[in-house]
Amino acid sequence: MKIQCGLTDQHGFSLIEVIVGLVVFGILTSVFFVYLGSPMQNSSVAVVRLKNTMLLQSVMENIQADFKANKDLALLKSAVAAGGYGTYNVIYNDYVTFNGNDDEAATAAPYDLLKVTIQSTTDEFTLTSLFAVW
């Protein structure tokens, strides 16, 4: 009978080593998800906001394209008020003039400068454009 002292010829991991490794992996995984979980969930908010911003920009581009084609401020004013370009809230849609102090005021006549401000229906993003007949 031969007695071995010291190191034995073992291959692989013992049951205790595997259990300790799984526990450490579980702790690190839970810390990872707690630390990065909420930013990953909130990342969709920025994508939705960008989508809404791009939709509002598209509406304003349609308004500008319609004005370039028609050059009629009265028709443009009524089309914007009717919501004919998509989904948006009209904040301001009226003729304006500027006095010598660069202050803006509503005007009665002549109607040569139209200010249009629209807002997204889902957030507070607004766009303003001035349309002028020369």
Side-chain angles (χ1 to χ4, degrees), residues 14-28:
S14 70
L15 182 60
I16 299 294
E17 292 170 333
V18 170
I19 290 173
V20 169
L22 288 175
V23 168
V24 169
F25 178 75
I27 291 171
L28 290 176

Side-chain angles (χ1 to χ4, degrees), residues 2-67:
K2 194 174 192 184
I3 299 176
Q4 293 183 348
C5 293
L7 298 175
T8 60
D9 203 14
Q10 295 180 355
H11 297 287
F13 298 104
S14 70
L15 182 60
I16 299 294
E17 292 170 333
V18 170
I19 290 173
V20 169
L22 288 175
V23 168
V24 169
F25 178 75
I27 291 171
L28 290 176
T29 302
S30 65
V31 168
F32 175 75
F33 280 117
V34 167
Y35 183 70
L36 292 178
S38 61
M40 291 169 76
Q41 290 173 346
N42 293 338
S43 66
S44 64
V45 172
V47 173
V48 170
R49 191 160 193 186
L50 178 63
K51 178 183 172 190
N52 293 336
T53 302
M54 295 305 292
L55 288 174
L56 190 65
Q57 181 68 32
S58 175
V59 167
M60 186 59 84
E61 287 175 2
N62 289 338
I63 293 170
Q64 290 171 349
D66 191 26
F67 177 69

Side-chain angles (χ1 to χ4, degrees), residues 65-117:
D66 191 26
F67 177 69
K68 279 186 176 181
N70 295 329
K71 298 286 187 191
D72 186 359
L73 289 178
L75 181 66
L76 183 68
K77 183 176 189 263
S78 62
V80 168
Y85 297 100
T87 305
Y88 56 90
N89 296 326
V90 178
I91 303 299
Y92 195 87
N93 183 26
D94 207 356
Y95 301 103
V96 294
T97 187
F98 293 96
N99 62 20
N101 297 327
D102 294 332
D103 292 331
E104 172 186 329
T107 185
Y111 299 130
D112 58 353
L113 189 61
L114 177 67
K115 177 181 175 184
V116 175
T117 302

